[in-house]
């Protein structure tokens, strides 16, 4: 039995859904106009029930066989359920019915984009551009494709076109910042956002991205001003508070940073990263109990946040609780095995505990991971020197100089070791190199071997370079 209910375009979408579900329960056939079917499909999409939405699309196709819209809806739903071949077939049928519908080419472009068939994706997006009334989202997708192809210059061109079409497209603003970041072109980023703000002074996203660009240029005061404008426009903008906090940290304004970080909790749930950032501020203020409390909150929320485990170790190290500190350093290292800073802290803690072999192994790992770490090379060689292993200490400093030929500190340390070994001529040669590199740092030599201040030859050579 077929009963016809034709509700006009003014029908309440909720009523359409109720009538549809009644039809299914009764195993009956009701008639719905195209708009009603679209409303029902959209309802199930919003309810995250693609299976039911597909079922409605099939009913709609049977009642409205020449309406391309239901084939397009069907294709979208088939993509969501990973039935790509069927989705392509549905779009082909839709194109035969209504080849001028831009959505056909947008969805097809999306599918090719996800398959990394970028040429075909671009071809479909270009077709859509010629058919769609609003093109900013299509231009954004074209930019995504060029990003995936590694062509950031062209991506930037399309992102700017997108923003020309719709100045309020937030995604385009953020993607543009990302492209400039990848290209390490913060100056142009600043210039763009300043021009953008001239036209759209109340765009919180533009102010925020301007702040990020200033941060990357280490212009932290200007970054803070930009974040303040973003917050003024949107006072619930948690990310702007967080990044402002980071800028204050870079200016060593730790107490102010803590207050700013705490503002984020008013607008979003506390998270491990913010707790960790607050912990680090308290650590810098040498308020170790508070620092440790926040680091513990951080790891409780995210046990995989290595920096928070490391932070707990730092607070214990500060209190000379080296054995306990080592435990937390190693927990951090388990999560980030290639972190040279963690290895350095472990090396130092092992040394303080008198574990020379373990300290030596850890320092070896530090310089392997980061051969530009001057302090690590100096400390590594120093523990060898303390064990009267002069030859090994000299070898380590030689290796350090190969990796850091401009570092005067290494040459001065080499002078000290060579004098200690009795190789005076070579020591004087190295002293000349050190003084040529940076004569003002000659105090390093006397800090390490104070007795050399009484060596007339050395003092005369230093005077030639410093007076």
């Amino acid at each position: 039995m077929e009963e016809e209910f034709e509700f006009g375009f003014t029908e309440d979408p909720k009523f359409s859904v109720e009538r549809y579900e009644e039809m299914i329960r009764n195993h009956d056939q009701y008639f719905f106009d195209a708009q009603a079917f679209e409303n029902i499909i959209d309802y199930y999409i919003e309810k995250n029930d693609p299976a039911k939405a597909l079922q409605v699309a099939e009913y709609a196709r049977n009642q409205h066989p020449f309406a391309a819209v239901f084939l397009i809806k069907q294709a979208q739903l088939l993509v969501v359920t990973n039935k790509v071949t069927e989705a392509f077939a549905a779009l082909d049928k839709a194109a035969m019915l209504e080849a001028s519908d831009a959505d056909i080419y947008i969805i097809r472009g999306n599918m090719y984009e996800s398959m990394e068939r970028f040429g075909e994706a671009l071809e479909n997006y270009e077709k859509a551009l010629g058919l769609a009334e609003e093109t900013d989202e299509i231009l954004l997708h074209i930019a995504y494709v060029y990003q995936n192809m590694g062509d950031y210059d062209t991506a930037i061109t399309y992102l700017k076109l997108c923003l020309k079409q719709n100045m309020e497209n937030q995604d385009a603003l953020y993607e543009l910042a990302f492209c400039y970041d990848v290209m390490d072109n913060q100056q142009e980023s600043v210039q763009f956002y300043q021009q953008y703000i001239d036209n759209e002074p109340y765009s919180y996203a533009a102010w925020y991205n301007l702040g990020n660009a200033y941060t990357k240029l280490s212009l932290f005061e200007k970054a803070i001003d930009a974040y303040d404008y973003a917050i003024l426009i949107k006072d619930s903008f948690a990310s702007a508070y967080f990044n402002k906090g980071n800028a204050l940290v870079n200016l060593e304004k730790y107490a102010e940073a803590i207050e700013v970080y705490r503002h984020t909790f008013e607008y979003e749930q506390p998270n491990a990263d913010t707790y960790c950032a607050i912990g680090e501020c308290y650590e810098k203020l040498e308020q170790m109990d508070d620092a440790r409390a926040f680091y513990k909150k951080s790891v409780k929320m995210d046990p995989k946040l290595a920096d928070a485990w490391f932070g707990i170790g730092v607070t214990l190290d500060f209190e000379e609780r080296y054995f306990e500190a080592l435990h937390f350093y190693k927990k951090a290292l388990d999560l980030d095995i290639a972190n040279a800073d963690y290895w350095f802290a472990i090396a130092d803690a092992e040394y303080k505990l008198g574990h020379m072999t373990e300290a030596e192994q850890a320092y070896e790992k530090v310089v392997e991971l980061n051969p530009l770490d001057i302090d690590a090379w100096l400390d590594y060689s120093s523990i060898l020197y303390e064990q009267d292993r002069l030859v090994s200490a000299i070898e380590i400093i030689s290796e350090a100089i190969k990796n850091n030929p401009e570092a005067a500190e290494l040459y001065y340390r080499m002078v000290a070791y060579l004098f200690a070994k009795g190789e005076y001529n070579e020591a004087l040669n190295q002293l000349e190199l050190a003084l040529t590199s940076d004569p003002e740092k000659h105090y390093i030599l006397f800090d390490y071997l104070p007795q050399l201040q009484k060596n007339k030859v050395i003092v005369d050579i230093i005077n030639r370079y410093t007076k």
Side-chain angles (χ1 to χ4, degrees), residues 161-226:
L161 286 170
C162 170
L163 288 164
K164 193 174 180 182
Q165 293 289 322
N166 178 9
M167 292 288 279
E168 295 181 6
N169 192 309
Q170 306 293 319
D171 289 334
L173 278 173
Y174 289 113
E175 288 303 321
L176 194 61
F178 170 76
C179 288
Y180 281 129
D181 197 19
V182 170
M183 296 174 72
D184 197 24
N185 193 351
Q186 300 307 328
Q187 293 285 3
E188 194 171 326
S189 181
V190 166
Q191 187 180 1
F192 171 80
Y193 286 112
Q194 285 174 334
Q195 289 172 349
Y196 184 92
I197 287 164
D198 285 342
N199 294 313
E200 290 285 325
Y202 297 106
S203 171
Y204 65 86
W207 281 111
Y208 174 74
N209 284 315
L210 179 61
N212 291 344
Y214 279 135
T215 295
K216 291 181 178 81
L217 290 168
S218 299
L219 298 171
F220 302 115
E221 296 282 6
K222 287 187 174 183
I224 289 166
D225 287 342

Side-chain angles (χ1 to χ4, degrees), residues 209-428:
N209 284 315
L210 179 61
N212 291 344
Y214 279 135
T215 295
K216 291 181 178 81
L217 290 168
S218 299
L219 298 171
F220 302 115
E221 296 282 6
K222 287 187 174 183
I224 289 166
D225 287 342
Y227 293 134
D228 279 340
Y229 277 112
I231 291 164
L232 192 64
I233 296 161
K234 184 182 179 183
D235 64 0
S236 61
F237 196 178
S239 295
Y241 284 110
F242 185 80
N243 284 10
K244 180 184 174 182
N246 292 344
L248 287 164
V249 166
N250 279 291
L251 292 170
E252 299 183 5
K253 296 181 177 180
Y254 303 116
E256 289 179 53
I258 289 168
E259 291 307 308
V260 174
Y261 285 137
R262 285 181 184 274
H263 273 300
T264 66
F265 301 153
E266 297 173 26
Y267 307 112
E268 67 177 13
Q269 287 295 313
N271 61 67
D273 287 327
T274 309
Y275 279 145
C276 188
I278 293 172
E280 188 175 351
C281 288
Y282 279 119
E283 177 200 315
K284 297 294 186 185
L285 293 167
E286 297 188 0
Q287 298 177 29
M288 294 305 172
D289 287 341
D290 290 326
R292 193 153 53 242
F294 275 93
Y295 284 137
K296 284 180 178 178
K297 285 182 180 183
S298 181
V299 296
K300 187 176 181 181
M301 191 166 279
D302 182 3
K304 292 187 177 179
L305 188 57
D307 278 347
W309 289 111
F310 181 73
I312 296 172
V314 171
T315 65
L316 294 164
D317 198 318
F318 182 85
E319 295 168 355
E320 299 183 8
R321 295 159 65 181
Y322 305 126
F323 185 77
E324 293 169 81
L326 196 57
H327 168 74
F328 288 98
Y329 289 154
K330 287 180 177 177
K331 284 184 80 73
L333 190 68
D334 286 341
L335 294 165
D336 188 0
I337 194 70
N339 190 307
D341 292 336
Y342 298 172
W343 278 107
F344 200 153
I346 287 170
D348 185 58
E350 295 281 19
Y351 169 74
K352 288 168 180 170
L353 289 165
H355 304 159
M356 294 301 183
T357 302
E358 291 82 355
E360 187 179 334
Q361 289 168 348
Y363 277 124
E364 189 174 347
K365 195 70 182 175
V366 179
V367 297
E368 176 193 318
L369 291 167
N370 184 11
L372 304 181
D373 190 331
I374 309 300
D375 290 333
W377 286 108
L378 291 170
D379 287 356
Y380 185 9
S381 69
S382 188
I383 64 170
L384 298 170
Y385 175 77
E386 287 176 24
Q387 297 173 75
D388 295 323
R389 294 164 60 188
L390 270 172
V391 173
S392 296
I394 290 167
E395 285 174 356
I396 290 300
I397 288 295
S398 296
E399 191 64 28
I401 289 170
K402 282 181 192 173
N403 285 282
N404 303 275
E406 306 298 319
E409 300 93 324
L410 297 172
Y411 293 100
Y412 285 114
R413 183 63 65 87
M414 178 67 93
V415 174
Y417 292 160
L418 289 167
F419 262 99
K421 192 168 181 284
E423 296 185 10
Y424 304 121
N425 288 335
E426 183 56 28
L428 294 175

Side-chain angles (χ1 to χ4, degrees), residues 88-108:
F88 273 121
L91 290 174
D92 289 344
K93 289 176 185 174
M96 286 189 283
L97 290 170
E98 198 170 337
S100 62
D101 193 317
D103 285 340
I104 295 168
Y105 308 102
I106 293 169
I107 298 165
R108 200 183 273 158

